[in-house]
């Protein structure tokens, strides 16, 4: 029996008096940190970001002023409170002083919001002392209520939830005492503090709901930005994997040809010198070794895609069929080739084909009914590409989830070869994709496939020699 009486339920410490005292102590500590430490320290309101969209529409000379719109709004509110307070009263010294006690805290919100709250609270007590002829409804008449409520809400917006509760209790208590002891008398005076406490509490409760909603929206926006960044990174990695697979095919084909030709060369010459046979054997051995290393390193990207069909990689000669397919869909499409055509490295032709293919796919998807023009310019040292689509003549399809990564992939291809690619809208509503792919390697840039394969073979031969 005694054991049953003395037994404590699980969690008793959590909900007992000690837990309540701890909660009160924590709330008081939070209140002191928010409201007493550095109360009159300068804490200016946040200015608008320089990259804000609405700020771009403001004339350049006025952008600095427009960026401080929060401070301007606070000063305007202080001016309105001052005019509102002085309107029905004679301009006497005590009236002006009491008006400043009411309006000055609102202006202080721009620089010292915490100090503004304490000054506003002191104004509720000092104003009837300075100006005894105030109305019987002070401190709950319209301008005073609007001024103090503005200060209270601005300070509570930044404060902790525990601090907001204590601010409500403190404000209600001070306003009720001023109403009872300094101004009001009569049988209905006891109802006034309760009504104002309810008003302050309702306003603060709405503020907490709005703040929580805004916080959730910000968290959602941050998570969406992280998801977009992760999706963009994943798309870039997938595009690089596709490029690596294609380049693996190109390099592997050429290395195989080198090995076969080196093996067959001694049989094409009658009585070849022994030095030549050894050199060709070394070349073949280096080619086979390089091919094995290439398959071991770059072949990993095929591990997540079994049963990849092996087929010849497309070249510039296949662009006619690609444009013909676009033309078969009912579009006006043409292919224009300028300059003196000459053999290009397979990596350049493959990248050029993929860039044109992606550009035509984007035109079909996002520019319905628009005419398309593909231009290839064989210039000195490389290949120029331009895919121009006209303005859409039909309903535009909304960008799908993850859209916009095709341009990143095209830029990856161009950068791999040391080239450049730009894409953007024209003034008439069309879209242009322009690229330049060098036929030769660039220092510090991406090297062509043939030059890279040749250098690795030569280096291996010299090392073995």
């Amino acid at each position: 029996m005694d054991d049953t009486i003395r037994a404590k339920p699980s969690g008793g410490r959590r909900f007992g008096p000690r837990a309540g005292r701890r909660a009160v102590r924590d709330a008081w500590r939070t209140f002191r940190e928010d409201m007493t430490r550095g109360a009159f320290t300068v804490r200016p309101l946040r200015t608008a970001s320089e990259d804000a969209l609405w700020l771009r529409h403001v004339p350049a000379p006025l952008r600095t002023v427009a960026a401080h719109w929060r401070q301007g709004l606070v000063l305007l509110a202080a001016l309105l409170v001052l005019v509102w307070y002085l309107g029905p009263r004679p301009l006497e010294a005590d009236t002006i002083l009491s008006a400043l006690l009411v309006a000055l805290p609102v202006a202080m919100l721009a620089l010292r919001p915490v100090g503004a709250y304490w000054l506003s609270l002191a104004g509720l007590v000092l104003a009837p002392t300075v100006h005894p002829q105030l109305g019987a409804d002070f401190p709950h008449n319209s301008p005073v209520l609007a001024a103090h409520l503005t200060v209270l809400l601005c300070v509570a917006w930044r404060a902790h939830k525990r601090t907001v509760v204590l601010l409500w209790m403190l404000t209600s208590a001070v306003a009720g005492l001023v109403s009872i002891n300094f101004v009001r008398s009569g049988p209905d005076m006891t109802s006034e503090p309760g009504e104002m406490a309810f008003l302050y509490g309702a306003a603060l409760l709405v503020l907490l709901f709005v703040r929580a909603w805004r916080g959730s929206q910000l968290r959602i926006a941050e998570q969406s930005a992280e998801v977009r960044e992760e999706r963009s990174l994943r798309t870039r990695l997938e595009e690089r994997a596709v490029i690596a697979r294609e380049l693996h095919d190109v390099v592997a084909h050429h290395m195989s040809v080198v090995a076969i030709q080196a093996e067959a060369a001694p049989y094409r010459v009658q009585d070849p010198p022994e030095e030549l046979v050894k050199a060709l054997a070394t070349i073949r051995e280096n080619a086979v070794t390089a091919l094995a290393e290439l398959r071991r390193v770059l072949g990993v990207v095929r591990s997540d895609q079994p049963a990849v069909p092996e087929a010849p990689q497309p070249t510039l000669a296949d662009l006619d069929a690609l444009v013909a397919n676009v033309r078969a869909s009912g579009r006006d499409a043409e292919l224009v080739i300028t300059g003196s055509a000459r053999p290009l490295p397979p990596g350049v032709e493959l990248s050029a084909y993929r860039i044109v293919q992606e550009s035509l796919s984007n035109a079909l998807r996002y520019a319905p009914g628009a005419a398309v023009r593909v231009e290839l310019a064989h210039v000195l040292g490389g290949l120029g590409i331009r895919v121009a689509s006209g303005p859409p003549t039909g309903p535009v399809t909304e960008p799908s989830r993850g859209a916009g990564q095709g341009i990143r992939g095209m830029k990856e291809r161009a950068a791999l070869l040391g080239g450049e690619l730009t894409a953007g809208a024209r003034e008439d509503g069309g879209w242009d994709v322009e690229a330049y792919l060098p036929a030769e390697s660039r220092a510090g840039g991406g090297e062509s496939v043939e030059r890279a394969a040749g250098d690795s073979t030569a280096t291996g031969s010299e090392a073995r020699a």
Side-chain angles (χ1 to χ4, degrees):
M1 185 70 177
D2 294 339
D3 294 339
T4 304
I5 296 175
R6 292 178 182 177
K8 293 183 179 180
S10 60
R13 289 185 176 180
R14 185 176 180 182
F15 301 103
R18 184 177 300 177
R21 289 193 297 269
R22 188 185 304 112
V24 173
R25 187 167 55 251
D26 292 342
W28 175 247
R29 185 184 301 112
T30 304
F31 181 81
R32 285 190 304 169
E33 292 177 356
D34 288 347
M35 300 301 299
T36 61
R37 294 182 180 178
F40 288 88
T41 304
V42 176
R43 303 174 187 176
L45 296 177
R46 184 170 54 89
T47 58
S49 176
E50 295 181 357
D51 56 352
L53 295 178
W54 67 270
L55 200 58
R56 300 176 184 176
H57 301 286
V58 179
L62 300 178
R63 288 180 183 175
T64 303
V65 178
H68 295 78
W69 65 272
R70 292 182 177 86
Q71 288 82 350
L73 191 62
V74 165
L75 295 178
L76 179 61
L79 181 61
L80 291 177
V81 168
L82 187 64
V83 174
W84 191 4
Y85 186 89
L86 292 176
R89 295 180 174 86
L91 294 180
E92 299 177 352
D94 53 353
T95 304
I96 296 176
L97 184 56
S98 62
L100 290 177
L101 290 173
V102 173
L104 185 60
V106 180
M108 283 183 60
L109 288 173
L111 295 177
R112 294 175 171 84
V114 177
Y117 171 78
W118 292 116
L119 185 60
S120 179
L121 202 64
L124 296 182
V125 178
L126 296 178
T129 304
V130 173
H131 190 204
Q133 291 79 23
L134 288 173
D137 57 347
F138 188 90
H140 303 141
N141 52 15
S142 298
V144 178
L145 177 62
H148 187 68
L149 195 58
T150 300
V151 175
L152 178 63
L153 294 179
C154 289
V155 174
W157 181 264
R158 296 184 177 184
H160 192 273
K161 293 180 181 178
R162 299 170 180 172
T163 304
V164 173
V165 174
L166 293 179
L167 286 176
W168 167 69
M169 296 172 61
L170 182 60
T171 300
S172 302
V174 171
L177 291 175
V178 170
S179 177
I180 294 175
N181 297 329
F182 287 90
V183 179
R184 200 149 202 181
S185 61
D188 59 340
M189 68 178 181
T190 55
S191 63
E192 189 76 13
E195 294 175 359
M196 299 315 301
F198 175 79
L199 176 62
Y200 289 133
L204 290 175
L205 189 61
V206 171
L207 178 135
L208 290 177
F209 274 117
V210 173
R211 195 173 71 174
W213 173 82
R214 184 173 181 271
S216 64
Q217 294 298 315
L218 291 177
R219 286 191 295 272
I220 292 174
E222 292 176 358
Q223 293 174 358
S224 300
E226 292 177 358
V227 170
R228 286 194 299 270
E229 184 65 25
E230 292 177 0
R231 188 184 300 122
S232 175
L233 178 59
R234 184 172 62 250
T235 305
R236 289 199 300 269
L237 294 177
E238 292 175 355
E239 185 66 27
R240 290 179 182 179
V242 173
I243 296 173
R245 286 194 295 268
E246 294 174 347
L247 292 182
H248 169 266
D249 296 340
V250 173
V251 176
H253 168 73
H254 284 275
M255 295 301 294
S256 300
V257 171
V258 170
I260 294 173
Q261 290 179 347
E263 184 178 9
Y267 300 100
R268 296 184 179 183
V269 180
Q270 187 176 4
D271 298 328
E274 184 178 356
E275 292 80 4
L276 178 60
V277 175
K278 290 182 178 180
L280 291 174
T282 302
I283 293 174
R284 180 185 180 281
E285 183 179 356
N286 288 335
V288 173
T289 303
L291 185 60
E293 292 290 338
L294 179 67
R295 284 174 177 169
R296 185 167 59 201
V297 176
L298 293 182
V300 177
V301 300
R302 290 188 183 274
S303 61
D304 59 341
Q305 293 188 2
V308 177
E310 295 185 2
Q313 296 293 347
T315 62
L316 294 180
D318 300 315
L319 287 180
D320 289 325
L322 193 62
V323 175
N325 291 335
V326 177
R327 196 179 296 116
S329 67
R331 301 286 190 95
D332 292 334
E334 59 177 334
L335 173 63
V336 178
I337 301 177
T338 59
S340 178
R342 63 186 184 280
L344 294 171
V348 174
E349 293 204 10
L350 174 62
S351 295
Y353 180 89
R354 295 303 187 195
I355 289 174
V356 174
Q357 184 182 39
E358 180 66 25
S359 301
L360 293 178
S361 298
N362 290 339
L364 291 173
R365 188 179 301 113
Y366 302 117
V372 183
R373 178 184 176 91
V374 180
E375 300 177 1
L376 296 181
H378 292 272
V379 296
L380 184 63
L383 178 68
I385 305 171
R386 181 173 182 266
V387 182
S389 60
T393 59
V396 179
T397 305
E398 291 293 331
S400 60
R401 188 175 183 181
Q405 306 301 328
I407 295 177
R408 294 177 182 264
M410 291 189 289
K411 289 183 178 181
E412 291 279 352
R413 291 183 177 274
L416 179 68
L417 299 173
E420 298 177 354
L421 185 141
T422 58
R426 300 196 306 268
E427 294 183 357
D428 62 351
W431 188 273
D432 283 349
V433 176
E434 298 180 352
Y436 172 74
L437 304 179
E440 301 294 335
S441 63
R442 289 184 179 180
E447 297 185 352
S448 65
V449 174
E450 290 70 24
R451 174 63 63 86
D455 291 347
S456 61
T457 305
T459 304
S461 301
E462 292 175 1
R464 293 183 179 273

